Amino acid sequence: MLNFKKIIYKFNLEIQKIKNNKCIDKLYLKYLSKKGKIKKLTKLIKNISINLKPKFGKKINKIKYYIINKINNLKKKYTKKKKKNSIDLSLPGKIFFKKGTLHPITKVVIKIENFFKKLGFKNIYGQNIENVFYNFDALNIHKYHPSRSKKDTFWINNKKLLRTQTSCMQVRCLKYFKPPIKIITSGCVFRRDYDKTHTPMFHQLECFLIDKNINFTNLKYIIYEFIKYFFKKKNTIKFVPAYFPFTEPSYEVFIKKNNNKWLEILGCGLIHPKILVNSKINPKKYSGLAFGLGIERILMIKYNISDIRLLYNSNIKFLNQF
Ligand code: DAH
C-alpha cells in the first residue's frame, strides 16, 4: 500500500524551496502532468482489489487537489510580486507636478469682487484695447494732458491705445445702463513705467454708483468698510484733496503702512456733472461716486511686498506663499 502521507510530506518540502515562477512550473510538471506522480498513482488503481478501489481513488483525488491548491496559491503570490516590480506601459502617465493655483492678483480681485457683490454691485469686464474717446475724451481729460503722450501711453494708432485706467468703463457702461447704477469693473491697465513700484501692466478696480442723493458720505462709508474688510484690521487712512477731470470734488486716499509712511491706494470723488450730461443723465436728478483702486498696491501692503516685479517673474516659491 502507498504511503500518501509521505507524498504530501515530500511535496511540502519541495514547495518550501521554491523561489520563482519557473520552479513552480517544474513542480507542477513533476506532480500534475501526464507523466507526473499523481498520474502514476491513478494508474496503480487497476492493480488494487475491487473493494479498496474507491478509497484509493478518493485519497488520490484529495492529494491531487491539495497539490493543485498549493501550487495555484504560490503562483498567485509570485505573479503579484512580479506585477509590483515591473512597469506596466499601458497605464496612463502619472502626474508628478502639483496642479497650478490662482495667481495672488486673481485671488485678491475675487476677494474684492465678493465684497462688492454683497453690496449689490454688478461686475462688468471691459477691454484692454480702448478708443481714445473712452480713455481720455469722454473723461474730460484735456487734449494736451501729459498722460496722452507717447512717453506715457502705449498707442496702437492715433485712435486706439492700451487703456491707461479702468475709469474708461464708467462712460462705456453709461451707454448701456441707466441709473440707479452700481458697477465694479476690474482688469489690466497699461502705462510706460518700470521700477520697484511700477510695471507697464498692472491692475485696477473701478467702482461707481449713480443714484439720487449720492454724496461724499456714501463714498467715504464704502471706502472705510472696504478697507476694514480687506485688511481685516483697523487701518488709518486719509482723504487728500486731488484733481481728476472726471470727478468733482476729487481725492486721493492714503493708507498708513507699518513703517508709518503714507501710501496712495486709490483715487476717488463724486462724478463730474459733465460726465453725466455727456451720457444724457440729468445731474440735477442724479449724482454719483467713483473710485479707482490699484490692486497691486493693496496686495503689496497687505502682504508686505516691497517690489511689485516679484508678482510677475513667475517664481513658484514666491507665488506658493499665497
Ligand atoms: N483713473 C484714476 C487713475 O488711474 C483713478 C481714479 C480717480 C478713478 C478718481 C476714479 C476716480 O474712479 O473717481 O489714476
Side-chain angles (χ1 to χ4, degrees), residues 164-165 167 170 191 204 206 244 246-247 267-269 290-292:
T164 62
Q165 51 185 346
S167 301
Q170 289 189 27
R191 292 179 198 175
Q204 280 188 342
E206 192 83 10
F244 296 106
F246 40 93
T247 42
C268 65
F291 64 87

Short mmCIF file of all heavy atoms in Angstrom, two decimals, residues 164-165 167 170 191 204 206 244 246-247 267-269 290-292, ligand 1:
data_model
loop_
_atom_site.label_atom_id
_atom_site.label_comp_id
_atom_site.label_asym_id
_atom_site.label_seq_id
_atom_site.Cartn_x
_atom_site.Cartn_y
_atom_site.Cartn_z
N THR A 164 -5.27 103.14 -20.14
CA THR A 164 -4.38 103.55 -19.05
C THR A 164 -5.09 103.53 -17.71
O THR A 164 -4.47 103.71 -16.68
CB THR A 164 -3.85 104.98 -19.31
OG1 THR A 164 -4.96 105.87 -19.31
CG2 THR A 164 -3.11 105.06 -20.62
N GLN A 165 -6.41 103.36 -17.74
CA GLN A 165 -7.19 103.36 -16.49
C GLN A 165 -8.53 102.66 -16.71
O GLN A 165 -9.04 102.64 -17.83
CB GLN A 165 -7.44 104.80 -16.04
CG GLN A 165 -8.01 105.68 -17.14
CD GLN A 165 -8.14 107.13 -16.74
OE1 GLN A 165 -8.06 107.45 -15.56
NE2 GLN A 165 -8.37 108.01 -17.69
N SER A 167 -11.20 103.71 -15.52
CA SER A 167 -12.27 104.72 -15.48
C SER A 167 -13.00 104.81 -16.82
O SER A 167 -14.16 105.25 -16.87
CB SER A 167 -11.68 106.09 -15.13
OG SER A 167 -11.05 106.04 -13.89
N GLN A 170 -16.52 103.66 -16.99
CA GLN A 170 -17.66 104.46 -16.49
C GLN A 170 -18.51 104.92 -17.68
O GLN A 170 -19.73 104.74 -17.68
CB GLN A 170 -17.15 105.70 -15.75
CG GLN A 170 -16.51 105.41 -14.40
CD GLN A 170 -16.22 106.69 -13.63
OE1 GLN A 170 -16.88 107.71 -13.80
NE2 GLN A 170 -15.22 106.62 -12.77
N ARG A 191 0.76 101.41 -18.64
CA ARG A 191 1.46 102.70 -18.66
C ARG A 191 2.95 102.44 -18.82
O ARG A 191 3.46 101.45 -18.31
CB ARG A 191 1.22 103.48 -17.36
CG ARG A 191 -0.20 103.95 -17.22
CD ARG A 191 -0.44 104.69 -15.92
NE ARG A 191 -1.87 104.75 -15.64
CZ ARG A 191 -2.41 105.25 -14.55
NH1 ARG A 191 -1.63 105.75 -13.60
NH2 ARG A 191 -3.70 105.25 -14.37
N GLN A 204 -6.32 97.48 -12.05
CA GLN A 204 -7.14 98.44 -11.30
C GLN A 204 -8.54 97.88 -11.13
O GLN A 204 -8.98 97.03 -11.92
CB GLN A 204 -7.26 99.76 -12.08
CG GLN A 204 -6.07 100.67 -11.96
CD GLN A 204 -6.33 102.04 -12.59
OE1 GLN A 204 -7.24 102.22 -13.39
NE2 GLN A 204 -5.50 103.01 -12.22
N GLU A 206 -12.33 99.51 -10.67
CA GLU A 206 -13.11 100.74 -10.71
C GLU A 206 -14.48 100.46 -10.09
O GLU A 206 -15.06 99.40 -10.33
CB GLU A 206 -13.30 101.14 -12.18
CG GLU A 206 -13.84 102.51 -12.39
CD GLU A 206 -12.75 103.57 -12.32
OE1 GLU A 206 -11.56 103.20 -12.30
OE2 GLU A 206 -13.09 104.76 -12.27
N PHE A 244 -8.92 115.18 -10.44
CA PHE A 244 -9.19 114.28 -11.57
C PHE A 244 -10.27 114.95 -12.41
O PHE A 244 -11.26 115.43 -11.84
CB PHE A 244 -9.70 112.90 -11.09
CG PHE A 244 -8.70 112.14 -10.27
CD1 PHE A 244 -8.85 112.01 -8.89
CD2 PHE A 244 -7.60 111.54 -10.89
CE1 PHE A 244 -7.92 111.31 -8.13
CE2 PHE A 244 -6.67 110.84 -10.13
CZ PHE A 244 -6.83 110.73 -8.75
N PHE A 246 -12.57 113.95 -14.11
CA PHE A 246 -13.90 113.31 -14.22
C PHE A 246 -14.62 113.21 -12.88
O PHE A 246 -15.70 112.61 -12.79
CB PHE A 246 -13.78 111.93 -14.88
CG PHE A 246 -12.57 111.14 -14.44
CD1 PHE A 246 -12.65 110.26 -13.38
CD2 PHE A 246 -11.34 111.31 -15.07
CE1 PHE A 246 -11.55 109.55 -12.97
CE2 PHE A 246 -10.21 110.61 -14.67
CZ PHE A 246 -10.31 109.73 -13.61
N THR A 247 -14.03 113.77 -11.83
CA THR A 247 -14.73 113.83 -10.53
C THR A 247 -14.58 115.23 -9.93
O THR A 247 -13.57 115.89 -10.12
CB THR A 247 -14.15 112.78 -9.54
OG1 THR A 247 -12.74 112.77 -9.65
CG2 THR A 247 -14.70 111.40 -9.77
N GLY A 267 -7.80 106.62 -6.17
CA GLY A 267 -8.31 107.95 -6.49
C GLY A 267 -9.81 107.86 -6.46
O GLY A 267 -10.39 106.83 -6.81
N CYS A 268 -10.46 108.95 -6.03
CA CYS A 268 -11.92 108.87 -5.93
C CYS A 268 -12.56 110.24 -6.01
O CYS A 268 -11.87 111.26 -6.06
CB CYS A 268 -12.31 108.20 -4.62
SG CYS A 268 -11.86 109.14 -3.16
N GLY A 269 -13.86 110.27 -6.00
CA GLY A 269 -14.57 111.54 -6.00
C GLY A 269 -16.02 111.36 -6.35
O GLY A 269 -16.52 110.25 -6.50
N ALA A 290 -17.34 107.61 -7.44
CA ALA A 290 -16.49 106.67 -8.18
C ALA A 290 -15.14 106.58 -7.51
O ALA A 290 -14.70 107.53 -6.85
CB ALA A 290 -16.31 107.14 -9.62
N PHE A 291 -14.54 105.43 -7.62
CA PHE A 291 -13.12 105.35 -7.24
C PHE A 291 -12.41 104.28 -8.06
O PHE A 291 -13.02 103.34 -8.57
CB PHE A 291 -12.92 105.14 -5.74
CG PHE A 291 -13.44 103.85 -5.17
CD1 PHE A 291 -12.66 102.71 -5.18
CD2 PHE A 291 -14.71 103.79 -4.61
CE1 PHE A 291 -13.12 101.53 -4.64
CE2 PHE A 291 -15.19 102.61 -4.07
CZ PHE A 291 -14.39 101.47 -4.09
N GLY A 292 -11.10 104.46 -8.19
CA GLY A 292 -10.27 103.50 -8.92
C GLY A 292 -9.14 103.06 -8.01
O GLY A 292 -8.40 103.88 -7.45
N1 DAH B 1 -8.42 106.56 -13.01
C1 DAH B 1 -7.64 107.18 -11.99
C2 DAH B 1 -6.18 106.76 -12.13
O1 DAH B 1 -5.90 105.81 -12.79
C3 DAH B 1 -8.11 106.79 -10.62
C4 DAH B 1 -9.45 107.35 -10.30
C5 DAH B 1 -9.57 108.59 -9.73
C6 DAH B 1 -10.59 106.63 -10.55
C7 DAH B 1 -10.79 109.13 -9.42
C8 DAH B 1 -11.84 107.14 -10.24
C9 DAH B 1 -11.92 108.40 -9.67
O2 DAH B 1 -12.96 106.49 -10.46
O3 DAH B 1 -13.14 108.91 -9.39
O4 DAH B 1 -5.33 107.40 -11.58
#
